[in-house]
Amino acid sequence: MNGTRKLGLAPVARADARLLLLGSLPGEASLKAERYYAHPQNQFWRLLGEVIGEPLAALDHDARLETLLDRRIALWDVVHAARREGSLDQRMAKIEVRDLAGFVAGLPGLRAIGFNGATAAKLGRKKLGATHLALVNLPSSSPAHTTAFGDKLSRWRALAPFLD
């Protein structure tokens, strides 16, 4: 047995989204809270807040999601379900990848997809195949990815040109 079967969260998106951010599969803290990037050490909200000039990390979860929607940013995960013990991507087995092309087809104004971490990029790029969209690989916001915040942020700033 490779851990229990974990199911991802519902997408956060409006049809007018310009940027889609895709993680791999939420970690244990996020799944338990049923909230994206709920682990207090995950840097997602801080990184994205810096990119869009909003204090996302200081907001409650609902306000964070509302801000993303207002800024035409969609949020989801590449993996629909997987067996995993703990939160690390390396521990995932029996991975079921989402129909990303079908989802993207419902976002006609989409300009780019940002992949939060190497696993999201590898699985997501393979599932999407050829696309006209800009695809941006980002260093993982996970606390397990120990790159310095400033180094992560410099790479995350590549998302800025795709925002209004």
Side-chain angles (χ1 to χ4, degrees), residues 29-41:
S30 296
L31 292 174
K32 184 176 180 182
E34 297 181 357
R35 295 172 182 240
Y36 280 100
Y37 303 102
H39 192 288
Q41 292 178 335

Side-chain angles (χ1 to χ4, degrees), residues 10-97:
V12 175
R14 290 190 335 202
D16 67 347
R18 293 208 173 227
L19 173 65
L20 170 60
L21 296 176
L22 292 171
S24 55
L25 179 69
E28 292 297 311
S30 296
L31 292 174
K32 184 176 180 182
E34 297 181 357
R35 295 172 182 240
Y36 280 100
Y37 303 102
H39 192 288
Q41 292 178 335
N42 192 296
Q43 298 174 327
F44 178 85
W45 297 112
R46 191 171 156 214
L47 287 164
L48 187 57
E50 289 286 334
V51 171
I52 68 172
E54 299 274 354
L56 294 175
L59 302 175
D60 70 30
H61 190 72
D62 291 340
R64 290 171 176 169
L65 298 183
E66 186 177 316
T67 301
L68 293 191
L69 293 173
D70 288 346
R71 297 296 300 266
R72 298 171 70 182
I73 300 170
L75 180 61
W76 208 20
D77 288 299
V78 172
V79 176
H80 165 68
R83 291 199 170 278
R84 183 181 67 200
E85 183 179 325
S87 297
L88 298 177
D89 286 351
Q90 303 91 291
R91 309 273 321 238
M92 286 193 294
K94 299 188 179 181
I95 297 169
E96 300 169 36
V97 179

Side-chain angles (χ1 to χ4, degrees), residues 121-137:
K122 179 182 173 186
L123 296 174
R125 283 175 174 270
K126 182 177 179 182
K127 188 68 174 185
L128 279 168
T131 179
H132 69 284
L133 299 169
L135 302 178
V136 182
N137 290 7

Side-chain angles (χ1 to χ4, degrees), residues 51 103 145:
V51 171
F103 182 69
H145 188 74

